[in-house]
Amino acid sequence: MTPRTAAHDAAARGERRRMGVRGMACIAGAYEHPTRKAPDKGVAQLHAECAIGALADAGLSPRDVDGYFCAGDAPGLGPLSVLDYMGLRPRHMDSTEIGGASYLAHVSHAAQAIAAGKCDVALITLAGRPRSEGSSGTVARSWGANVPDDPFELPYGRTTVGSYALVAARHMHEFGTTSEQLAWVKVAASHHAQHNPQAMLRKVVTVEDVVGSPMVADPLHRLDCCVVSDGGGALVVTRPEIARSLSRPVVTLRGAGESVKGREGGYADLTASATREAGAAAFAEAGVTPADIRYASIYDSFTITVVVQVEDLGFCEKGAGGRFVADGNLISGVGRLAWNTDGGGLCNNHPANRGGMTKVIEAVRQLRGEAHPAVQVPGLSLALVNGTGGLLGHRHGAATLILERE
């Protein structure tokens, strides 16, 4: 046997990097829980109902599941508690936690686990009850015990919406972005939500409606903010051979990327996000460019979140995001980039205060041709999904997926 050398190891690592996750796994099942308020259900029950729905959508059963993925929304001991509740005993588990980006990362991690032979059918679930529990982005928020910067920031009332307001204010200062431009993100979301019977906000709004709504954290108005909802969702990721044996359109993972962005000693650029690196990695692995994308699911916790991400994903230059989203450019059938055609977090739902899962689900609907006919992008073969977790004006993570219909 020839002894392994550093050169051999480097070559092997390079080959794995070239292979990545492209074509390694498919999304065979997707399910969005219909509830927007569930005072009579526990979080574990919502996880289980989402799991049943996604497996039924794929044409599989709980007995087929041998991999399970969840994040911090799972109750108790995370995967241990939910798996015990659902009666599952997988041979592979992953509880990666990067906020709303977790579920995109889980799709990538599931593909890696499948490629490594760790599992064949991976189940990913999200569920929560923030609406029933009275959660709000206007309340001072801690990241938990022993976070070093909390004692310095919490006394000043650090809130979720306040953090994003800092990003919006800086973007306006640096690039001349206006409240009217941000409002177009909400307008686009409302044009899509009117066709979604489950959306919390179905009324079509105007730019004037958005900028005329009450100020929450200057310069963000109430209609610049996402809804708060109960609910959840689930995905089933499988080996390609399994997906092709089922009676559903095959949606393949073509590229993926992840990144993080910290406080950077107080010198962080508030106008840039971790999406810049995560998106670049996904595009490189998929072998496509932003010009190839006609539909994108992009996490929309606030209108400014979308503006920053379309820039960092390369759909326009840094600083041009306000102009890019204006004048209906995100409305399906009208603009250059169809976006969040279910109404997104701004109008449809934002389960567990984490929007990444539903972004993947709507992208799967679009690629299958199962979105509402009024917003379906015709002949779609590629879709991008991007999610962030944490706070853009604070530390956060990002994950990007490029999905393809075979």
Side-chain angles (χ1 to χ4, degrees):
M1 179 180 296
T2 304
R4 292 194 62 82
T5 65
H8 287 126
D9 291 337
R13 287 193 298 270
E15 182 61 25
R16 285 194 295 272
R17 282 195 296 270
R18 284 190 292 273
M19 291 175 60
V21 298
R22 183 170 177 176
M24 294 294 185
C26 302
I27 299 177
Y31 178 79
E32 178 185 338
H33 203 291
T35 191
R36 300 296 181 263
K37 189 172 184 180
D40 58 337
K41 297 178 185 290
V43 175
Q45 181 179 349
L46 290 171
H47 272 275
E49 290 176 359
C50 291
I52 291 169
L55 288 166
D57 180 66
L60 296 168
S61 77
R63 293 186 300 274
D64 298 309
V65 175
D66 60 355
Y68 178 66
F69 296 72
C70 69
D73 57 279
L77 292 174
L80 302 185
S81 300
V82 178
L83 288 169
D84 189 30
Y85 183 87
M86 294 193 294
L88 299 177
R89 296 187 64 185
R91 57 192 177 99
H92 183 76
M93 294 175 288
D94 185 325
S95 56
T96 294
E97 172 57 274
I98 49 173
S102 301
Y103 318 95
L104 284 71
H106 290 163
V107 172
S108 174
H109 296 184
Q112 295 170 47
I114 288 169
K118 299 294 185 181
C119 61
D120 296 318
V121 176
L123 172 66
I124 307 167
T125 65
L126 153 79
R129 302 174 61 252
R131 187 179 178 192
S132 292
E133 295 167 359
S135 174
S136 171
T138 59
V139 176
R141 175 182 181 181
S142 171
W143 292 107
N146 303 317
V147 176
D149 41 19
D150 273 5
F152 299 94
E153 295 189 349
L154 286 180
Y156 296 93
R158 184 189 70 217
T159 64
T160 299
V161 65
S163 179
Y164 284 83
L166 287 174
V167 175
R170 190 66 194 179
H171 206 280
M172 290 176 169
H173 174 75
E174 290 279 349
F175 307 117
T177 307
T178 67
S179 291
E180 287 76 15
Q181 290 172 337
L182 295 184
W184 272 106
V185 179
K186 180 74 167 195
V187 171
S190 72
H191 273 268
H192 297 151
Q194 67 176 317
H195 305 294
N196 182 354
Q198 295 174 347
M200 290 181 66
L201 304 178
R202 297 186 64 192
K203 178 184 176 182
V204 176
V205 300
T206 65
V207 169
E208 291 72 25
D209 291 331
V210 179
V211 298
S213 63
M215 189 72 75
V216 178
D218 193 8
L220 297 180
H221 302 81
R222 183 168 65 193
L223 292 184
D224 285 300
C225 307
C226 67
V227 299
V228 176
S229 75
D230 298 347
L235 300 164
V236 178
V237 181
T238 72
R239 285 191 292 109
E241 311 89 87
I242 295 175
R244 292 171 187 137
S245 72
L246 304 171
S247 58
R248 305 296 281 127
V250 177
V251 176
T252 304
L253 178 59
R254 179 160 174 162
E258 300 170 38
S259 186
V260 296
K261 187 169 184 283
R263 303 304 308 278
E264 300 175 4
Y267 293 94
D269 178 1
L270 291 178
T271 68
S273 73
T275 292
R276 184 168 50 189
E277 290 76 27
F283 278 120
E285 188 167 80
V288 299
T289 70
D292 298 311
I293 304 297
R294 294 189 294 131
Y295 174 79
S297 286
I298 298 176
Y299 192 16
D300 54 341
S301 48
F302 300 90
T303 52
I304 185 61
T305 316
V306 179
V307 170
V308 170
Q309 288 176 95
V310 296
E311 294 172 345
D312 289 343
L313 287 165
F315 290 113
C316 63
E317 294 181 357
K318 176 56 67 177
R323 298 188 298 275
F324 182 87
V325 303
D327 301 323
N329 203 34
L330 298 179
I331 300 175
S332 183
V334 176
R336 135 99 177 85
L337 181 69
W339 160 85
N340 290 14
T341 46
D342 62 340
L346 287 169
C347 291
N348 177 25
N349 66 342
H350 190 225
N353 288 332
R354 295 158 174 265
M357 171 66 77
T358 50
K359 301 301 170 283
V360 184
I361 292 171
E362 183 65 6
V364 170
R365 291 193 193 109
Q366 278 285 348
L367 288 168
R368 289 175 169 179
E370 296 172 355
H372 190 282
V375 297
Q376 176 67 54
V377 179
L380 189 67
S381 60
L382 283 175
L384 176 142
V385 188
N386 192 79
T388 55
L391 308 178
L392 289 196
H394 201 269
R395 63 177 59 87
H396 66 274
T400 309
L401 305 176
I402 307 292
L403 305 177
E404 181 176 32
R405 173 168 174 159
E406 289 191 352

